[in-house]
Amino acid sequence: TLAIGVDLLFDLPSSRGSGDDAALAAAVAEACNVVLAAAPQIHVDHGFTRVDPNLPVRPIRDGAAGIGGITMSRDPDSLIRRAPLRVASADESLSFFDVALLRTAVRRGMATVTLPAVDEVLINFNGPPRTFPWVAYYKVLRGEVPADFLREKIVLGGPTSDVMHDVFPTVFAGDGTMPGVEIHANVLDTFVRNGRLREVPRGISTAVAVMAALVGAALVLKLHPLRGLATGLLLWLVFTIAAYL
């Protein structure tokens, strides 16, 4: 396995005792390719700003290959479309979780990935939940998953159940059913394929809107109202299909 990303927070000691944390720390250190998650939170109250880094506890984080922030913002319509390259933390910003994973994978032999020189990227989602293959963790523990299935791959581990409250709305899951761990899979794929989306500049959007208004006005003046409406709908359908493709 090139890298293992664990999309779970270990910011508090285990309720089962220090031996539990020690066992996890030993496994993380032995693997040498595990990236752990942190979810920094910024609190502003009465003019004071306090940042909780929410880093994994020691000794778990001491043996990790990297630690990355998992905080993502939502667009005004509540959908997650964007991923940052860095996440603000207490003393200094953290690399985003998927950026830390890529760097670990590159150190382990994956071809170098050139990250864009931007603060955030639009995620190029591949599809709805389960577009990427899911494997139940208990099958891995029981040896039911062939080793070749995980070889030379970036493996993500995280909750997929609604009960864990780690599911979110995206463009392919407007009902809020995409697990955070699969959002990270889409972010990684966007980086690896250099397939990030780019927003149309505002000037072009304005020009298209003006052109559409002029075409609509011309159709009303030149054609019978019903024919103008039918032609307008046809043009809208063609434009929509072209935009989707």
Side-chain angles (χ1 to χ4, degrees), residues 21 23 47-48 55 65 74 77 80-82 86 89 122 128 142 148 162 171 178-179 216:
D21 288 336
F48 292 95
L55 296 172
R74 301 193 187 200
D77 59 1
I80 290 182
R81 290 188 178 89
R82 306 166 195 276
R86 299 195 68 82
S89 187
L122 277 169
R142 291 178 179 177
D148 289 344
D162 293 348
V171 292
M178 180 166 284

Side-chain angles (χ1 to χ4, degrees), residues 153-238:
K153 291 185 174 70
I154 297 176
V155 178
L156 294 165
T160 57
S161 170
D162 293 348
V163 177
M164 298 293 289
H165 302 292
D166 195 38
V167 289
F168 305 92
T170 67
V171 292
F172 282 102
D175 55 351
T177 55
M178 180 166 284
V181 67
E182 191 158 11
I183 294 177
H184 288 296
N186 280 282
V187 175
L188 282 166
D189 188 66
T190 299
F191 285 142
V192 170
R193 291 189 296 111
N194 192 24
R196 68 188 180 95
L197 303 175
R198 291 161 177 80
E199 294 184 82
V200 175
R202 186 177 298 273
I204 294 179
S205 297
T206 303
V208 170
V210 171
M211 187 181 302
L214 292 175
V215 170
L219 290 175
V220 171
L221 293 174
K222 297 292 184 181
L223 300 177
H224 184 277
L226 288 179
R227 291 179 180 175
L229 176 62
T231 305
L233 289 175
L234 179 61
L235 290 174
W236 173 81
L237 179 62
V238 171

Side-chain angles (χ1 to χ4, degrees), residues 5-9 35-37 70 97 156-159 166 179-182 184:
V6 183
D7 185 21
L8 291 166
L9 297 179
V35 174
L36 300 176
I70 57 173
F97 182 66
L156 294 165
D166 195 38
V181 67
E182 191 158 11
H184 288 296

